[in-house]
Amino acid sequence: MRLYTAVIDCRDLHAQAHWWAQVLDWEVMYEDADEAAIAPRSSPTGDIDDRREFDAVQTGICFVPVPEPKTVKNRIHLDFAPHVTEDWNAIVERFLAAGARRADVGQPEDATFAVLADPEDNEFCILSARRS
């Protein structure tokens, strides 16, 4: 078994799916009135019989509609980590330019990660660059 998708409740699932797909350079893999799912462009689109290949597929993100707006800090959030060859500051700026905002969830001033919020105020982090 593997983690298949992280599900985000939202008011406008289509706008959220397309925003996230754009800033992550992922694809909208599925979209209807009740959900939209995004995944990395390299994700397989068909059935996978080989167990090792199945286990290696990256987790996607699914967006589902809810009637109420977000009112409190997320109980769970997404962490994204760039590779050491990527420019962390440029990535954070790319998210901000696309409509994310900085968020304060009590992180220390000298944090090695950025806490941001998407257009519907769901918090997420851009971690420091990593090799694995």
Side-chain angles (χ1 to χ4, degrees):
M1 181 169 31
R2 67 177 173 84
L3 180 59
Y4 189 72
T5 57
V7 180
I8 298 177
D9 293 348
C10 53
R11 302 281 306 268
D12 186 340
L13 69 103
H14 304 290
Q16 282 288 91
H18 286 271
W19 185 85
W20 277 100
Q22 180 226 333
V23 297
L24 293 172
D25 193 26
W26 287 13
E27 288 185 85
V28 175
M29 304 297 276
Y30 178 82
E31 189 170 16
D32 69 15
D34 298 317
E35 69 178 318
I38 67 170
R41 292 185 183 280
S42 61
S43 296
T45 56
D47 292 336
I48 302 171
D49 293 325
D50 183 272
R51 176 58 193 261
R52 287 178 304 205
E53 288 179 33
F54 176 81
D55 289 343
V57 173
Q58 293 183 43
T59 301
I61 303 173
C62 182
F63 302 88
V64 297
V66 295
E68 71 279 352
K70 181 179 174 290
T71 58
V72 297
K73 178 182 170 286
N74 294 2
R75 295 285 306 258
I76 189 169
H77 68 270
L78 304 174
D79 283 348
F80 297 95
H83 188 263
V84 293
T85 60
E86 296 178 281
D87 182 339
W88 182 87
N89 289 311
I91 291 169
V92 171
E93 288 305 316
R94 185 179 84 226
F95 275 82
L96 294 170
R101 66 170 182 77
R102 292 194 181 270
D104 182 356
V105 295
Q107 69 271 27
E109 284 190 33
D110 62 348
T112 60
F113 55 90
V115 180
L116 304 177
D118 72 15
E120 288 200 12
D121 288 328
N122 297 298
E123 298 93 2
F124 63 97
C125 294
I126 306 294
L127 304 177
S128 59
R130 307 190 174 211
R131 291 190 187 283
S132 62

